[in-house]
Structure formats: structure tokens, C-alpha cells
Amino acid sequence: MEKIYARTKGLRPDVVSGFCPGCMHSTVIKLIGEVLEEMNQMDNAVAVLGIGCCGLHMEYMSYDNVTAPHGRACAVATGIKRANSKSLVYTYQGDGDFASIGLGESVSAANRGENITVIFINNGIYGMTGGQMAPTTLLGMKASTAPKGRIAEEHGYPMHMCEILNQLTAPYYLERTSCNTPQNVLKTRKAIKKAFQNQLDGKGFSMVEIVTSCPTNWGLDTMKSLDYLNEKMLTEYPLGVIRDNG
Ligand SMILES: Cc1ncc(C[n+]2csc(CCOP(=O)(O)OP(=O)(O)O)c2C)c(N)n1
Ligand code: SF4
């Protein structure tokens, strides 16, 4: 029988996913592995992982990786890339990591046009630590630190990282995708590949923001969390290319 699908070599063959049911981290890390394999970059890739469920990525991947202190992934990736300019260096960060504690490092790396790739997982909440409010939490969305839901007057408004970085001169490529439908999974795959290719071509800073779900901390089952993502998250965070200098 013709083999039409195989598990990517980017994922360890001996480990099964420990992510919660319906969590899209597992989809995204599979896509990254597939893309690296397709681009023949697995021996050349270095992943810099944020802290959080995003950091669990290290349990599954079969290529080089390092975990950065919470929020500092872009700074660590900068060092690795500058020291090994031929390596394909990417960060994999949650919204707490990239947009909250790491905001300074993230904006600074983008502003310098560092030749790195950022995979930014926006699930609107701190996943690993139990659902605290993130900069990306929606207005009205409940969090353990905002039990009545996010209120603009108290907590400020949801932050749109692609649009914020689009104010800077240096970034080369900024796209927001999701994994809510098979079609969007394929679009996310394409965006990741493009962002990696940009780096190999020396184009500078590329980011793919992926809007995902956290059923566990949203307090929703897998199907309802998908509805919430479609109806609420994607209204606040519309998908599309925000900048493409290519
Ligand atoms: C300096 C520091 N501050 C706080 C923490 C605690 N901490 C661990 S994970 C995390 C939040 C993770 O949320 P996010 O970045 O959105 O990733 P997710 O778990 O949703 O993938 C926090 C605050 C830490 N490990 N280090
Ligand atoms: S807590 Fe949320 S982000 Fe973490 S594995 Fe579960 S669903 Fe995914």
C-alpha cells in the first residue's frame, strides 16, 4: 500500500502528546517539524523555547533546542543567531512570555530587525500557571486574576502584537494565522515555511502569530473552545498578512 502520511522526524517517535485535548500547541509543533524536515533544516535548526506550556515543546522535538528564562527568548535567540549566523533560529513563545514579561525583548529584537523567526502562540491566557490574564486576554474574558472578566478601565485593552510591531520600520514579515480549520492549518504551515525561508535568505525579523485555544483555562470543552476561538478570538485578532516586504 502506498504510504501517504508519516509522522515528522521533527517529533520524537517515542513520545505521545501530553497537551490537553483540543490544545493547538500540538498541531503547531507538528507543523514546525514537518516544515523543517521539508526544508532539510532539522540539523541546522535551533529552537528557543519560552516558559509555559509552549516550553513543553522540548519534550517532543528531536532537534536542538534551548529554553530561555521567561520572556527572554528573543534575546537568547539573538545571541545564538549572531554567534552562528548560518543556523536557523526560531523562538516559540506564548502570549505571557512574548507580550507580557518579554515585551521589551520582543519589541527590541523586532526593532533591530534581528534575522530570527518568532512563532508566537496567542491563546489569550497564561496556560501553564492556571489561567492568569495575559496582555491578549479579551475584554470580558475570565481569568484567575480577573474573575469577573477583563475590564478595560482596570486592565487595559487586548494587545495586538502584529499591529504593534507593524509600527516599527525593521520587521520584514508579520502574519497572523490560526489552526481552527484544516484550511487554516495549511495556511499556518505555509506562513511558518515562509518565515523560515526569509531567515535563510537573510531578510531579518519574521513573526507568525498563531491564534489558538486553551480549553482548560478557558473552562470550555474542545468543541466549545473552538466556537469561542471562531466567534471571539478571531473577531479581536483578524487573520491575515500584516506586513510582507517580500
Ligand atoms: C521570571 C518568571 N516569572 C514567572 C514565571 C512563572 N510562569 C511560568 S509559565 C508562565 C506563563 C505562561 O503563559 P504563556 O507564556 O502564555 O504560555 P502558555 O502556557 O499559554 O503556553 C509564568 C508566568 C516564571 N517561570 N519565570
Ligand atoms: S493548559 Fe492550555 S495551553 Fe496548556 S496544554 Fe492545556 S490547553 Fe494547552
Side-chain angles (χ1 to χ4, degrees), residues 71-189:
R72 314 299 175 238
C74 281
V76 172
T78 297
I80 294 173
K81 182 71 186 182
R82 288 191 181 195
N84 305 278
S85 62
K86 293 216 167 77
S87 296
L88 177 64
V89 183
Y90 77 89
T91 73
Y92 184 84
Q93 300 178 259
D95 38 17
D97 196 272
F98 183 76
S100 183
I101 190 169
L103 185 64
E105 280 79 0
S106 305
V107 172
S108 297
N111 190 44
R112 293 191 305 268
E114 288 297 338
N115 191 27
I116 59 171
T117 304
V118 171
I119 310 292
F120 166 43
I121 306 295
N122 176 5
N123 61 13
I125 205 137
Y126 285 24
M128 179 174 268
T129 40
Q132 293 85 0
M133 190 172 62
T136 48
T137 299
L138 304 181
L139 290 179
M141 188 174 177
K142 288 191 175 137
S144 61
T145 47
K148 293 183 182 159
R150 184 176 192 158
I151 303 163
E153 294 71 23
E154 267 184 51
H155 311 121
Y157 292 87
M159 281 170 58
H160 302 84
M161 291 308 294
C162 275
E163 287 76 359
I164 287 172
L165 299 189
N166 197 27
Q167 300 306 306
L168 305 172
T169 305
Y172 187 79
Y173 171 58
L174 305 165
E175 178 163 1
R176 185 182 292 119
T177 66
S178 184
C179 286
N180 58 329
T181 62
Q183 190 191 29
N184 280 343
V185 169
L186 292 178
K187 277 193 183 168
T188 298
R189 193 184 196 284

Side-chain angles (χ1 to χ4, degrees), residues 19-20 23 25 53 56 123 127-128 213-217:
F19 291 111
C20 307
C23 178
H25 273 306
C53 293
L56 297 175
N123 61 13
M128 179 174 268
S213 55
C214 175
T216 301
N217 287 299

Side-chain angles (χ1 to χ4, degrees), residues 51-74:
I51 304 286
C53 293
C54 51
L56 297 175
H57 194 154
M58 77 178 134
E59 303 283 343
Y60 308 106
M61 60 211 297
S62 58
Y63 48 95
D64 287 348
N65 62 89
V66 60
T67 303
H70 198 30
R72 314 299 175 238
C74 281

